Amino acid sequence: MKSIKWNKQMNKRCKVLLMCLLFLGMAFLMKRDVMAQATTEVGDGSQPLSIGVNVDLGDDNSSLNSQLKILLVLTVLSLAPSILIMVTSFTRIIVVLHFTRAAIGTQSAPPNQVLIGLALFLTFFVMSPVFTQINDVAIQPLSEGKITEEQAFEEGVKPIRTFMLKQTNEKDLKLFVDIAKIENIETSDDIPTTVLIPAFITSELRAAFIIGFLIYIPFIVIDMVVASTLMAMGMMMLPPTTISMPFKILLFVLADGWNLVIGQLVQTFH
């Protein structure tokens, strides 16, 4: 019975394959007929139908400007992910999450894809007021034609600058201002964005490492207790991390660690 069913299935597949081949053959013949009819008689002989397309880009200056604009747009699009990561809360969040995983001792749980996805959604949550303000003052007026592209860029950068200034340490900001040799800074508007961004990134890394150190402390205590116990019992050949990891996970679960870490991490931006 199985062989009969298998033969029936093979016959159906062969029929379908033959129908497909027949269809392709008919399409090929129809294409040849269309190509043969696409010739026009000129004089005594026949010449194939020719179609030409001419694109007028204007003068040389306008063509050069359009090419430069296209190059600039492609460059910005290629660097957009890095730019968005560096001027948002993503840096602090992802570093703290990696410190949390390293402190627990689970090398691949949760995996990197989960940590990056969680960091992205937390970044959207933290930056949602900034993105909403950018949409109201820059994107919507530009789409309605009320402002130019330059004005939209200037208005769109202001909310991001305000966010970065609130999160940037004055010491880091002064460091990069001194490196750039900028003087006569009276207000925050006088600080260039090229100086503000590296100062903001440095402050984010400092804050992330401080939070990571605080996360490490309870897990280091567990490692020390387990190592001392194993030494007292004479089990010096047994790795302490093998015994301490279940206790770390148990402590993290009982303390509702993810709620504490993510909640306190988000609160640091407010």
Side-chain angles (χ1 to χ4, degrees):
M1 294 297 293
K2 291 183 179 180
S3 61
I4 294 174
K5 291 182 179 180
W6 185 80
N7 290 330
K8 289 182 179 180
Q9 292 178 358
M10 290 298 297
N11 291 331
K12 290 182 180 180
R13 293 177 181 177
C14 291
K15 290 180 181 179
V16 173
L17 180 60
L18 290 175
M19 292 295 294
C20 293
L21 293 175
L22 181 61
F23 177 77
L24 293 175
M26 293 177 62
F28 178 74
L29 292 175
M30 292 176 64
K31 181 179 179 181
R32 290 184 60 185
D33 294 338
V34 172
M35 294 296 295
Q37 294 177 1
T39 59
T40 57
E41 295 182 356
V42 178
D44 296 334
S46 60
Q47 295 179 353
L49 180 63
S50 61
I51 300 175
V53 178
N54 295 325
V55 179
D56 188 8
L57 296 177
D59 54 0
D60 295 336
N61 293 329
S62 62
S63 176
L64 182 60
N65 292 331
S66 62
Q67 293 176 2
L68 290 176
K69 288 182 179 179
I70 293 173
L71 180 61
L72 181 61
V73 170
L74 292 177
T75 303
V76 171
L77 289 177
S78 62
L79 297 177
S82 300
I83 295 173
L84 290 177
I85 288 173
M86 291 295 101
V87 301
T88 59
S89 59
F90 182 84
T91 302
R92 186 189 305 184
I93 294 173
I94 192 64
V95 172
V96 170
L97 292 179
H98 275 283
F99 270 122
T100 304
R101 185 179 67 178
I104 298 174
T106 56
Q107 297 180 357
S108 60
N112 291 330
Q113 292 85 351
V114 175
L115 292 183
I116 294 173
L118 179 60
L120 284 174
F121 280 101
L122 288 176
T123 301
F124 293 149
F125 176 77
V126 173
M127 300 295 295
S128 58
V130 179
F131 293 155
T132 302
Q133 188 176 359
I134 293 173
N135 181 61
D136 294 337
V137 301
I139 298 177
Q140 291 299 329
L142 178 63
S143 62
E144 296 174 359
K146 297 180 180 179
I147 58 177
T148 61
E149 296 178 356
E150 291 78 7
Q151 293 174 345
F153 177 77
E154 293 177 357
E155 295 295 329
V157 169
K158 289 181 180 179
I160 298 179
R161 283 177 55 89
T162 303
F163 172 79
M164 289 191 293
L165 286 170
K166 289 181 179 179
Q167 305 299 327
T168 303
N169 195 344
E170 295 183 359
K171 181 179 178 181
D172 298 327
L173 191 59
K174 185 178 182 302
L175 171 64
F176 285 95
V177 168
D178 294 337
I179 293 174
K181 298 180 180 180
I182 300 175
E183 300 178 354
N184 299 325
I185 295 179
E186 298 179 356
T187 61
S188 59
D189 296 334
D190 298 332
I191 301 174
T193 306
T194 54
V195 174
L196 179 59
I197 292 176
F200 169 74
I201 297 171
T202 305
S203 298
E204 289 293 288
L205 291 175
R206 175 185 285 106
F209 273 70
I210 292 173
I211 297 173
F213 171 75
L214 296 177
I215 293 173
Y216 253 100
I217 292 176
F219 299 106
I220 291 176
V221 172
I222 294 177
D223 286 332
M224 294 175 63
V225 171
V226 171
S228 300
T229 305
L230 292 176
M231 288 286 291
M233 297 174 64
M235 299 180 179
M236 293 178 292
M237 300 301 295
L238 184 62
T241 55
T242 306
I243 305 300
S244 63
M245 183 181 297
F247 292 101
K248 291 180 182 178
I249 296 174
L250 179 62
L251 174 64
F252 195 73
V253 172
L254 291 178
D256 198 5
W258 288 115
N259 190 2
L260 291 175
V261 171
I262 294 176
Q264 296 300 318
L265 179 59
V266 172
Q267 290 295 327
T268 58
F269 293 99
H270 299 286

